[in-house]
Amino acid sequence: MFKILSEKPQDAATIEILLDECFGKDRFTKTVYTVRKNLFPIWELSLVARSDEGELLASIRYWPLLVGNMHDAILLGPIAVQPSHQGEGIGVALIRYSMEQAKKLGHKRVILVGDPEYYERFGFVSAADLGLELPGPVERRRFLIAPLEEGALDGVSGMVSGNPAAEMMRG
Ligand SMILES: CC(C)(COP(=O)(O)OP(=O)(O)OC[C@H]1O[C@@H](n2cnc3c(N)ncnc32)[C@H](O)[C@@H]1OP(=O)(O)O)[C@@H](O)C(=O)NCCC(=O)NCCS
Protein backbone atom coordinates (compact mmCIF):
# COMPACT_ATOMS: atom_id res chain seq x y z
CA MET A 1 0.00 0.00 0.00
CA PHE A 2 1.03 3.59 -0.54
CA LYS A 3 -0.06 7.11 0.38
CA ILE A 4 0.00 10.25 -1.77
CA LEU A 5 1.56 13.20 0.08
CA SER A 6 2.93 16.67 -0.68
CA GLU A 7 6.60 16.75 -1.61
CA LYS A 8 8.77 18.14 1.19
CA PRO A 9 12.03 20.08 0.64
CA GLN A 10 13.96 17.20 2.20
CA ASP A 11 12.59 14.81 -0.52
CA ALA A 12 14.47 16.65 -3.30
CA ALA A 13 17.72 14.65 -3.11
CA THR A 14 15.92 11.28 -3.10
CA ILE A 15 13.79 12.40 -6.05
CA GLU A 16 16.92 13.31 -8.07
CA ILE A 17 18.27 9.78 -7.52
CA LEU A 18 14.92 8.31 -8.59
CA LEU A 19 14.87 10.48 -11.75
CA ASP A 20 18.44 9.45 -12.66
CA GLU A 21 17.41 5.83 -12.20
CA CYS A 22 14.29 6.16 -14.38
CA PHE A 23 15.50 8.56 -17.10
CA GLY A 24 19.30 8.51 -16.99
CA LYS A 25 21.70 11.41 -16.59
CA ASP A 26 21.10 12.64 -20.16
CA ARG A 27 17.55 13.64 -19.20
CA PHE A 28 18.70 17.27 -18.92
CA THR A 29 19.13 17.48 -22.71
CA LYS A 30 15.43 16.87 -23.40
CA THR A 31 13.27 19.63 -24.84
CA VAL A 32 10.99 19.60 -21.76
CA TYR A 33 14.00 20.52 -19.60
CA THR A 34 14.56 23.56 -21.84
CA VAL A 35 10.93 24.57 -21.32
CA ARG A 36 11.22 24.12 -17.54
CA LYS A 37 14.44 26.15 -17.29
CA ASN A 38 13.94 29.15 -14.97
CA LEU A 39 10.63 27.79 -13.65
CA PHE A 40 9.68 26.54 -10.21
CA PRO A 41 7.40 23.53 -9.92
CA ILE A 42 3.83 24.25 -8.82
CA TRP A 43 4.13 23.36 -5.15
CA GLU A 44 0.49 22.28 -4.66
CA LEU A 45 0.97 19.70 -7.44
CA SER A 46 4.39 18.42 -6.36
CA LEU A 47 3.48 15.08 -4.87
CA VAL A 48 5.15 11.89 -3.76
CA ALA A 49 3.91 8.38 -3.06
CA ARG A 50 5.26 6.75 0.09
CA SER A 51 5.01 3.21 1.38
CA ASP A 52 3.46 2.59 4.80
CA GLU A 53 7.05 2.37 6.05
CA GLY A 54 7.74 5.87 4.71
CA GLU A 55 9.90 4.91 1.72
CA LEU A 56 9.62 7.31 -1.22
CA LEU A 57 8.16 5.25 -4.10
CA ALA A 58 7.28 7.86 -6.69
CA SER A 59 7.28 11.54 -7.58
CA ILE A 60 5.25 13.82 -9.83
CA ARG A 61 5.71 17.51 -10.58
CA TYR A 62 3.97 20.14 -12.74
CA TRP A 63 5.19 23.45 -14.17
CA PRO A 64 3.42 26.63 -15.34
CA LEU A 65 3.26 27.21 -19.10
CA LEU A 66 1.81 29.48 -21.71
CA VAL A 67 0.61 28.31 -25.12
CA GLY A 68 0.87 30.81 -27.97
CA ASN A 69 1.57 33.52 -25.36
CA MET A 70 -2.15 33.42 -24.53
CA HIS A 71 -3.43 30.33 -22.86
CA ASP A 72 -2.28 29.06 -19.47
CA ALA A 73 -1.39 25.41 -19.25
CA ILE A 74 0.61 23.16 -16.95
CA LEU A 75 3.35 20.73 -17.88
CA LEU A 76 3.17 17.30 -16.25
CA GLY A 77 6.53 15.74 -15.59
CA PRO A 78 8.60 14.15 -14.66
CA ILE A 79 6.60 11.33 -13.17
CA ALA A 80 8.72 8.46 -11.96
CA VAL A 81 7.94 5.32 -10.01
CA GLN A 82 10.69 3.27 -8.38
CA PRO A 83 11.47 0.41 -10.81
CA SER A 84 10.81 -2.22 -8.13
CA HIS A 85 7.30 -0.76 -7.61
CA GLN A 86 6.25 -0.15 -11.21
CA GLY A 87 3.03 -1.79 -12.37
CA GLU A 88 1.40 -1.55 -8.93
CA GLY A 89 -1.01 1.26 -9.84
CA ILE A 90 1.06 4.05 -8.27
CA GLY A 91 1.51 5.98 -11.53
CA VAL A 92 -2.20 5.89 -12.39
CA ALA A 93 -3.17 6.94 -8.84
CA LEU A 94 -0.67 9.85 -8.82
CA ILE A 95 -1.78 11.14 -12.21
CA ARG A 96 -5.51 10.85 -11.47
CA TYR A 97 -5.17 12.51 -8.05
CA SER A 98 -2.90 15.32 -9.28
CA MET A 99 -5.12 16.07 -12.30
CA GLU A 100 -8.14 16.33 -9.99
CA GLN A 101 -6.18 18.70 -7.74
CA ALA A 102 -5.08 20.72 -10.78
CA LYS A 103 -8.69 21.06 -11.87
CA LYS A 104 -9.72 22.20 -8.37
CA LEU A 105 -6.96 24.82 -8.48
CA GLY A 106 -8.48 26.18 -11.70
CA HIS A 107 -5.97 24.88 -14.21
CA LYS A 108 -7.53 24.28 -17.61
CA ARG A 109 -5.19 22.01 -19.56
CA VAL A 110 -2.21 19.70 -19.07
CA ILE A 111 0.65 19.15 -21.53
CA LEU A 112 3.26 16.39 -21.46
CA VAL A 113 5.67 14.37 -23.53
CA GLY A 114 5.07 10.67 -22.98
CA ASP A 115 3.77 7.43 -24.41
CA PRO A 116 0.23 7.97 -25.77
CA GLU A 117 -0.59 4.31 -25.01
CA TYR A 118 -0.19 5.10 -21.30
CA TYR A 119 -1.63 8.63 -21.16
CA GLU A 120 -4.74 8.30 -23.34
CA ARG A 121 -6.58 6.75 -20.37
CA PHE A 122 -6.35 10.15 -18.63
CA GLY A 123 -7.85 12.02 -21.62
CA PHE A 124 -4.62 13.01 -23.40
CA VAL A 125 -4.75 13.61 -27.17
CA SER A 126 -2.19 14.75 -29.74
CA ALA A 127 -0.99 18.31 -29.07
CA ALA A 128 0.79 18.43 -32.43
CA ASP A 129 -2.51 17.74 -34.24
CA LEU A 130 -3.99 20.83 -32.53
CA GLY A 131 -1.11 22.97 -33.77
CA LEU A 132 0.92 23.20 -30.56
CA GLU A 133 4.70 23.35 -30.87
CA LEU A 134 7.64 22.86 -28.53
CA PRO A 135 10.88 24.88 -28.77
CA GLY A 136 12.99 21.84 -29.62
CA PRO A 137 12.85 18.33 -31.01
CA VAL A 138 10.10 16.03 -29.79
CA GLU A 139 8.65 12.81 -31.14
CA ARG A 140 5.38 14.05 -32.60
CA ARG A 141 3.23 11.16 -31.35
CA ARG A 142 4.48 11.66 -27.75
CA PHE A 143 3.52 15.37 -27.53
CA LEU A 144 0.17 15.31 -25.71
CA ILE A 145 -2.45 17.57 -24.13
CA ALA A 146 -5.53 16.93 -21.95
CA PRO A 147 -8.39 19.28 -21.11
CA LEU A 148 -9.40 19.66 -17.45
CA GLU A 149 -12.79 21.08 -18.40
CA GLU A 150 -15.05 20.94 -21.41
CA GLY A 151 -13.89 23.08 -24.31
CA ALA A 152 -10.48 23.77 -22.72
CA LEU A 153 -8.64 22.82 -25.91
CA ASP A 154 -10.76 25.00 -28.22
CA GLY A 155 -8.57 27.50 -30.06
CA VAL A 156 -5.45 26.48 -28.13
CA SER A 157 -2.42 26.30 -30.41
CA GLY A 158 1.01 27.82 -30.93
CA MET A 159 4.38 27.67 -29.25
CA VAL A 160 4.65 26.33 -25.70
CA SER A 161 6.82 28.33 -23.31
CA GLY A 162 7.50 28.49 -19.60
CA ASN A 163 5.42 31.01 -17.64
CA PRO A 164 7.59 32.31 -14.78
CA ALA A 165 5.01 35.05 -14.12
CA ALA A 166 2.61 32.39 -12.83
CA GLU A 167 5.01 31.72 -9.97
CA MET A 168 5.41 35.41 -9.21
CA MET A 169 1.65 35.79 -8.94
CA ARG A 170 1.62 32.97 -6.40
CA GLY A 171 3.92 35.12 -4.25
C1 LIG B 1 5.50 5.14 -16.65
C2 LIG B 1 5.27 5.02 -15.13
C3 LIG B 1 5.15 6.41 -14.54
C4 LIG B 1 3.96 4.26 -14.92
O1 LIG B 1 3.72 4.13 -13.54
P1 LIG B 1 3.38 2.70 -12.90
O2 LIG B 1 3.08 2.91 -11.47
O3 LIG B 1 4.48 1.76 -13.25
O4 LIG B 1 2.09 2.31 -13.74
P2 LIG B 1 0.70 1.79 -13.16
O5 LIG B 1 0.96 0.60 -12.31
O6 LIG B 1 -0.04 2.90 -12.54
O7 LIG B 1 -0.04 1.42 -14.49
C5 LIG B 1 0.27 0.21 -15.08
C6 LIG B 1 -0.40 0.18 -16.43
O8 LIG B 1 0.27 1.11 -17.29
C7 LIG B 1 0.80 0.42 -18.40
N1 LIG B 1 2.04 1.09 -18.77
C8 LIG B 1 3.09 1.41 -17.99
N2 LIG B 1 4.03 2.06 -18.72
C9 LIG B 1 3.53 2.17 -19.98
C10 LIG B 1 4.02 2.72 -21.18
N3 LIG B 1 5.20 3.34 -21.25
N4 LIG B 1 3.22 2.64 -22.28
C11 LIG B 1 2.02 2.03 -22.24
N5 LIG B 1 1.50 1.49 -21.12
C12 LIG B 1 2.24 1.55 -20.01
C13 LIG B 1 1.00 -0.99 -17.91
O9 LIG B 1 1.03 -1.88 -18.98
C14 LIG B 1 -0.27 -1.17 -17.07
O10 LIG B 1 -1.38 -1.36 -17.90
P3 LIG B 1 -2.73 -2.06 -17.38
O11 LIG B 1 -3.30 -1.17 -16.33
O12 LIG B 1 -3.58 -2.13 -18.61
O13 LIG B 1 -2.28 -3.39 -16.85
C15 LIG B 1 6.40 4.24 -14.44
O14 LIG B 1 6.45 2.94 -14.94
C16 LIG B 1 7.78 4.87 -14.57
O15 LIG B 1 8.17 5.65 -13.71
N6 LIG B 1 8.53 4.51 -15.61
C17 LIG B 1 9.89 5.05 -15.81
C18 LIG B 1 9.86 6.53 -16.04
C19 LIG B 1 8.90 6.94 -17.13
O16 LIG B 1 8.91 6.36 -18.21
N7 LIG B 1 8.08 7.97 -16.82
C20 LIG B 1 7.10 8.49 -17.72
C21 LIG B 1 7.72 9.43 -18.67
S1 LIG B 1 6.54 10.07 -19.76
Short mmCIF file of all heavy atoms in Angstrom, two decimals, residues 34-75:
data_model
loop_
_atom_site.label_atom_id
_atom_site.label_comp_id
_atom_site.label_asym_id
_atom_site.label_seq_id
_atom_site.Cartn_x
_atom_site.Cartn_y
_atom_site.Cartn_z
N THR A 34 14.39 22.18 -21.34
CA THR A 34 14.56 23.56 -21.84
C THR A 34 13.34 24.40 -21.46
O THR A 34 13.47 25.54 -21.00
CB THR A 34 14.67 23.55 -23.39
OG1 THR A 34 15.60 22.55 -23.76
CG2 THR A 34 15.07 24.89 -23.94
N VAL A 35 12.16 23.83 -21.64
CA VAL A 35 10.93 24.57 -21.32
C VAL A 35 10.87 24.89 -19.82
O VAL A 35 10.45 25.96 -19.41
CB VAL A 35 9.68 23.76 -21.75
CG1 VAL A 35 8.40 24.42 -21.29
CG2 VAL A 35 9.66 23.57 -23.25
N ARG A 36 11.33 23.96 -19.00
CA ARG A 36 11.22 24.12 -17.54
C ARG A 36 12.30 25.02 -16.94
O ARG A 36 12.21 25.39 -15.78
CB ARG A 36 11.30 22.75 -16.85
CG ARG A 36 10.15 21.85 -17.19
CD ARG A 36 9.98 20.78 -16.15
NE ARG A 36 11.07 19.85 -16.11
CZ ARG A 36 10.99 18.59 -16.53
NH1 ARG A 36 9.88 18.13 -17.05
NH2 ARG A 36 12.01 17.79 -16.42
N LYS A 37 13.33 25.32 -17.78
CA LYS A 37 14.44 26.15 -17.29
C LYS A 37 13.87 27.45 -16.73
O LYS A 37 12.98 28.05 -17.32
CB LYS A 37 15.40 26.43 -18.46
CG LYS A 37 16.85 26.49 -18.05
CD LYS A 37 17.74 26.50 -19.26
CE LYS A 37 17.83 27.92 -19.79
NZ LYS A 37 18.67 28.04 -20.98
N ASN A 38 14.37 27.90 -15.60
CA ASN A 38 13.94 29.15 -14.97
C ASN A 38 12.54 29.09 -14.36
O ASN A 38 11.98 30.12 -14.01
CB ASN A 38 14.00 30.34 -15.93
CG ASN A 38 15.38 30.52 -16.53
OD1 ASN A 38 16.38 30.26 -15.85
ND2 ASN A 38 15.45 30.91 -17.78
N LEU A 39 11.95 27.91 -14.28
CA LEU A 39 10.63 27.79 -13.65
C LEU A 39 10.77 27.08 -12.31
O LEU A 39 11.69 26.30 -12.10
CB LEU A 39 9.68 26.97 -14.52
CG LEU A 39 9.32 27.50 -15.89
CD1 LEU A 39 8.39 26.51 -16.59
CD2 LEU A 39 8.66 28.87 -15.80
N PHE A 40 9.81 27.34 -11.43
CA PHE A 40 9.68 26.54 -10.21
C PHE A 40 8.49 25.61 -10.38
O PHE A 40 7.48 26.01 -10.98
CB PHE A 40 9.44 27.44 -9.00
CG PHE A 40 10.64 28.25 -8.64
CD1 PHE A 40 10.70 29.60 -8.96
CD2 PHE A 40 11.73 27.68 -7.99
CE1 PHE A 40 11.82 30.36 -8.65
CE2 PHE A 40 12.85 28.43 -7.67
CZ PHE A 40 12.89 29.77 -8.00
N PRO A 41 8.57 24.40 -9.84
CA PRO A 41 7.40 23.53 -9.92
C PRO A 41 6.23 24.13 -9.13
O PRO A 41 6.45 24.91 -8.21
CB PRO A 41 7.86 22.21 -9.30
CG PRO A 41 9.16 22.49 -8.64
CD PRO A 41 9.71 23.76 -9.18
N ILE A 42 5.03 23.78 -9.53
CA ILE A 42 3.83 24.25 -8.82
C ILE A 42 3.75 23.44 -7.53
O ILE A 42 3.56 22.22 -7.57
CB ILE A 42 2.58 24.03 -9.71
CG1 ILE A 42 2.74 24.81 -11.02
CG2 ILE A 42 1.31 24.43 -8.96
CD1 ILE A 42 1.73 24.45 -12.09
N TRP A 43 3.92 24.11 -6.39
CA TRP A 43 4.13 23.36 -5.15
C TRP A 43 2.91 22.53 -4.75
O TRP A 43 3.04 21.43 -4.23
CB TRP A 43 4.62 24.26 -4.01
CG TRP A 43 3.63 25.28 -3.56
CD1 TRP A 43 3.47 26.54 -4.07
CD2 TRP A 43 2.67 25.15 -2.51
NE1 TRP A 43 2.45 27.19 -3.43
CE2 TRP A 43 1.95 26.36 -2.46
CE3 TRP A 43 2.33 24.13 -1.62
CZ2 TRP A 43 0.92 26.57 -1.55
CZ3 TRP A 43 1.30 24.35 -0.71
CH2 TRP A 43 0.62 25.55 -0.69
N GLU A 44 1.70 23.04 -5.04
CA GLU A 44 0.49 22.28 -4.66
C GLU A 44 0.38 20.96 -5.43
O GLU A 44 -0.35 20.06 -5.03
CB GLU A 44 -0.79 23.08 -4.94
CG GLU A 44 -0.93 24.37 -4.18
CD GLU A 44 -0.49 25.57 -5.03
OE1 GLU A 44 0.44 25.41 -5.86
OE2 GLU A 44 -1.07 26.65 -4.84
N LEU A 45 1.07 20.89 -6.58
CA LEU A 45 0.97 19.70 -7.44
C LEU A 45 2.27 18.89 -7.44
O LEU A 45 2.46 18.03 -8.28
CB LEU A 45 0.60 20.12 -8.87
CG LEU A 45 -0.74 20.85 -9.01
CD1 LEU A 45 -0.95 21.31 -10.45
CD2 LEU A 45 -1.89 19.96 -8.57
N SER A 46 3.15 19.20 -6.50
CA SER A 46 4.39 18.42 -6.36
C SER A 46 4.14 17.36 -5.30
O SER A 46 4.07 17.66 -4.11
CB SER A 46 5.55 19.32 -5.94
OG SER A 46 5.80 20.27 -6.95
N LEU A 47 3.96 16.14 -5.77
CA LEU A 47 3.48 15.08 -4.87
C LEU A 47 4.43 13.89 -4.89
O LEU A 47 5.17 13.69 -5.86
CB LEU A 47 2.09 14.61 -5.33
CG LEU A 47 1.01 15.70 -5.43
CD1 LEU A 47 -0.24 15.14 -6.10
CD2 LEU A 47 0.65 16.23 -4.04
N VAL A 48 4.39 13.14 -3.82
CA VAL A 48 5.15 11.89 -3.76
C VAL A 48 4.21 10.77 -3.32
O VAL A 48 3.17 11.03 -2.70
CB VAL A 48 6.36 11.98 -2.78
CG1 VAL A 48 7.37 13.01 -3.26
CG2 VAL A 48 5.90 12.28 -1.36
N ALA A 49 4.60 9.54 -3.63
CA ALA A 49 3.91 8.38 -3.06
C ALA A 49 4.90 7.73 -2.10
O ALA A 49 6.09 7.59 -2.41
CB ALA A 49 3.52 7.40 -4.16
N ARG A 50 4.41 7.41 -0.92
CA ARG A 50 5.26 6.75 0.09
C ARG A 50 4.63 5.43 0.51
O ARG A 50 3.41 5.32 0.58
CB ARG A 50 5.38 7.62 1.35
CG ARG A 50 6.27 8.80 1.17
CD ARG A 50 6.55 9.49 2.51
NE ARG A 50 7.41 10.62 2.31
CZ ARG A 50 8.73 10.54 2.13
NH1 ARG A 50 9.33 9.38 2.19
NH2 ARG A 50 9.43 11.63 1.91
N SER A 51 5.49 4.48 0.83
CA SER A 51 5.01 3.21 1.38
C SER A 51 4.56 3.44 2.82
O SER A 51 4.88 4.49 3.40
CB SER A 51 6.13 2.17 1.35
OG SER A 51 7.12 2.53 2.31
N ASP A 52 3.88 2.46 3.39
CA ASP A 52 3.46 2.59 4.80
C ASP A 52 4.66 2.75 5.71
O ASP A 52 4.57 3.35 6.78
CB ASP A 52 2.65 1.34 5.21
CG ASP A 52 1.32 1.31 4.49
OD1 ASP A 52 0.89 2.38 4.01
OD2 ASP A 52 0.73 0.21 4.37
N GLU A 53 5.82 2.25 5.24
CA GLU A 53 7.05 2.37 6.05
C GLU A 53 7.73 3.72 5.83
O GLU A 53 8.77 4.00 6.44
CB GLU A 53 8.04 1.26 5.69
CG GLU A 53 7.60 -0.15 6.09
CD GLU A 53 6.49 -0.69 5.20
OE1 GLU A 53 6.51 -0.42 3.98
OE2 GLU A 53 5.59 -1.37 5.74
N GLY A 54 7.18 4.53 4.93
CA GLY A 54 7.74 5.87 4.71
C GLY A 54 8.73 5.97 3.57
O GLY A 54 9.27 7.04 3.31
N GLU A 55 8.95 4.87 2.84
CA GLU A 55 9.90 4.91 1.72
C GLU A 55 9.29 5.69 0.55
O GLU A 55 8.10 5.51 0.23
CB GLU A 55 10.20 3.48 1.27
CG GLU A 55 11.29 3.38 0.23
CD GLU A 55 11.39 1.97 -0.37
OE1 GLU A 55 10.61 1.08 0.04
OE2 GLU A 55 12.21 1.79 -1.27
N LEU A 56 10.11 6.54 -0.07
CA LEU A 56 9.62 7.31 -1.22
C LEU A 56 9.55 6.40 -2.46
O LEU A 56 10.58 5.87 -2.89
CB LEU A 56 10.54 8.51 -1.47
CG LEU A 56 9.96 9.58 -2.40
CD1 LEU A 56 10.40 10.97 -1.95
CD2 LEU A 56 10.36 9.33 -3.83
N LEU A 57 8.35 6.19 -2.99
CA LEU A 57 8.16 5.25 -4.10
C LEU A 57 8.00 5.93 -5.44
O LEU A 57 8.26 5.32 -6.48
CB LEU A 57 6.90 4.39 -3.84
CG LEU A 57 6.85 3.59 -2.54
CD1 LEU A 57 5.53 2.83 -2.45
CD2 LEU A 57 8.04 2.63 -2.45
N ALA A 58 7.55 7.19 -5.42
CA ALA A 58 7.28 7.86 -6.69
C ALA A 58 7.18 9.37 -6.49
O ALA A 58 6.95 9.84 -5.37
CB ALA A 58 5.97 7.35 -7.28
N SER A 59 7.35 10.08 -7.61
CA SER A 59 7.28 11.54 -7.58
C SER A 59 6.58 12.04 -8.83
O SER A 59 6.71 11.45 -9.91
CB SER A 59 8.72 12.08 -7.53
OG SER A 59 8.80 13.40 -8.02
N ILE A 60 5.84 13.14 -8.67
CA ILE A 60 5.25 13.82 -9.83
C ILE A 60 5.35 15.32 -9.59
O ILE A 60 5.21 15.78 -8.45
CB ILE A 60 3.78 13.38 -10.06
CG1 ILE A 60 3.26 13.89 -11.41
CG2 ILE A 60 2.86 13.83 -8.95
CD1 ILE A 60 1.93 13.25 -11.84
N ARG A 61 5.64 16.05 -10.67
CA ARG A 61 5.71 17.51 -10.58
C ARG A 61 5.04 18.13 -11.81
O ARG A 61 4.97 17.50 -12.87
CB ARG A 61 7.16 17.99 -10.52
CG ARG A 61 7.85 17.69 -9.20
CD ARG A 61 9.32 18.02 -9.28
NE ARG A 61 10.00 17.85 -7.99
CZ ARG A 61 11.31 17.68 -7.88
NH1 ARG A 61 12.07 17.62 -8.95
NH2 ARG A 61 11.86 17.56 -6.68
N TYR A 62 4.58 19.37 -11.64
CA TYR A 62 3.97 20.14 -12.74
C TYR A 62 4.59 21.53 -12.77
O TYR A 62 5.05 22.04 -11.74
CB TYR A 62 2.47 20.31 -12.50
CG TYR A 62 1.62 19.09 -12.66
CD1 TYR A 62 1.55 18.13 -11.65
CD2 TYR A 62 0.85 18.90 -13.80
CE1 TYR A 62 0.73 17.01 -11.77
CE2 TYR A 62 0.02 17.78 -13.94
CZ TYR A 62 -0.03 16.85 -12.92
OH TYR A 62 -0.84 15.74 -13.05
N TRP A 63 4.55 22.16 -13.95
CA TRP A 63 5.19 23.45 -14.17
C TRP A 63 4.26 24.38 -14.94
O TRP A 63 3.52 23.91 -15.82
CB TRP A 63 6.48 23.23 -14.99
CG TRP A 63 7.33 22.13 -14.44
CD1 TRP A 63 7.08 20.79 -14.56
CD2 TRP A 63 8.52 22.24 -13.66
NE1 TRP A 63 8.06 20.07 -13.91
CE2 TRP A 63 8.96 20.94 -13.36
CE3 TRP A 63 9.27 23.33 -13.20
CZ2 TRP A 63 10.10 20.68 -12.61
CZ3 TRP A 63 10.41 23.08 -12.47
CH2 TRP A 63 10.82 21.77 -12.17
N PRO A 64 4.34 25.70 -14.66
CA PRO A 64 3.42 26.63 -15.34
C PRO A 64 3.89 26.99 -16.75
O PRO A 64 5.06 27.29 -16.97
CB PRO A 64 3.47 27.88 -14.43
CG PRO A 64 4.80 27.82 -13.76
CD PRO A 64 5.19 26.37 -13.66
N LEU A 65 2.95 26.96 -17.68
CA LEU A 65 3.26 27.21 -19.10
C LEU A 65 2.32 28.25 -19.69
O LEU A 65 1.25 28.54 -19.13
CB LEU A 65 3.03 25.92 -19.92
CG LEU A 65 3.84 24.69 -19.64
CD1 LEU A 65 3.39 23.58 -20.60
CD2 LEU A 65 5.32 24.97 -19.79
N LEU A 66 2.70 28.72 -20.85
CA LEU A 66 1.81 29.48 -21.71
C LEU A 66 1.82 28.82 -23.09
O LEU A 66 2.87 28.36 -23.54
CB LEU A 66 2.32 30.91 -21.89
CG LEU A 66 1.91 31.96 -20.87
CD1 LEU A 66 2.54 33.29 -21.26
CD2 LEU A 66 0.39 32.10 -20.79
N VAL A 67 0.67 28.81 -23.75
CA VAL A 67 0.61 28.31 -25.12
C VAL A 67 0.28 29.50 -26.02
O VAL A 67 -0.72 30.20 -25.77
CB VAL A 67 -0.46 27.22 -25.29
CG1 VAL A 67 -0.47 26.71 -26.72
CG2 VAL A 67 -0.24 26.08 -24.31
N GLY A 68 1.11 29.71 -27.04
CA GLY A 68 0.87 30.81 -27.97
C GLY A 68 0.82 32.15 -27.26
O GLY A 68 0.09 33.05 -27.71
N ASN A 69 1.55 32.28 -26.15
CA ASN A 69 1.57 33.52 -25.36
C ASN A 69 0.19 33.95 -24.87
O ASN A 69 -0.01 35.11 -24.53
CB ASN A 69 2.17 34.68 -26.18
CG ASN A 69 3.67 34.70 -26.05
OD1 ASN A 69 4.21 34.32 -25.00
ND2 ASN A 69 4.36 35.13 -27.09
N MET A 70 -0.77 33.04 -24.84
CA MET A 70 -2.15 33.42 -24.53
C MET A 70 -2.82 32.55 -23.50
O MET A 70 -3.48 33.04 -22.59
CB MET A 70 -2.98 33.30 -25.81
CG MET A 70 -3.19 34.58 -26.56
SD MET A 70 -4.04 34.19 -28.08
CE MET A 70 -5.65 33.81 -27.44
N HIS A 71 -2.66 31.26 -23.69
CA HIS A 71 -3.43 30.33 -22.86
C HIS A 71 -2.55 29.70 -21.80
O HIS A 71 -1.50 29.15 -22.10
CB HIS A 71 -4.02 29.21 -23.74
CG HIS A 71 -4.96 29.70 -24.79
ND1 HIS A 71 -6.26 30.06 -24.53
CD2 HIS A 71 -4.78 29.91 -26.11
CE1 HIS A 71 -6.84 30.46 -25.63
NE2 HIS A 71 -5.96 30.37 -26.61
N ASP A 72 -3.00 29.75 -20.53
CA ASP A 72 -2.28 29.06 -19.47
C ASP A 72 -2.39 27.55 -19.65
O ASP A 72 -3.42 27.05 -20.12
CB ASP A 72 -2.91 29.38 -18.10
CG ASP A 72 -2.66 30.81 -17.69
OD1 ASP A 72 -1.52 31.27 -17.89
OD2 ASP A 72 -3.59 31.46 -17.19
N ALA A 73 -1.35 26.88 -19.26
CA ALA A 73 -1.39 25.41 -19.25
C ALA A 73 -0.40 24.96 -18.19
O ALA A 73 0.37 25.78 -17.65
CB ALA A 73 -1.00 24.85 -20.61
N ILE A 74 -0.41 23.69 -17.86
CA ILE A 74 0.61 23.16 -16.95
C ILE A 74 1.27 21.95 -17.60
O ILE A 74 0.63 21.20 -18.34
CB ILE A 74 0.04 22.81 -15.55
CG1 ILE A 74 -1.18 21.88 -15.64
CG2 ILE A 74 -0.32 24.09 -14.80
CD1 ILE A 74 -1.70 21.42 -14.28
N LEU A 75 2.57 21.84 -17.33
CA LEU A 75 3.35 20.73 -17.88
C LEU A 75 3.46 19.64 -16.82
O LEU A 75 3.92 19.90 -15.70
CB LEU A 75 4.75 21.23 -18.24
CG LEU A 75 5.73 20.21 -18.80
CD1 LEU A 75 5.33 19.81 -20.22
CD2 LEU A 75 7.15 20.77 -18.81
#
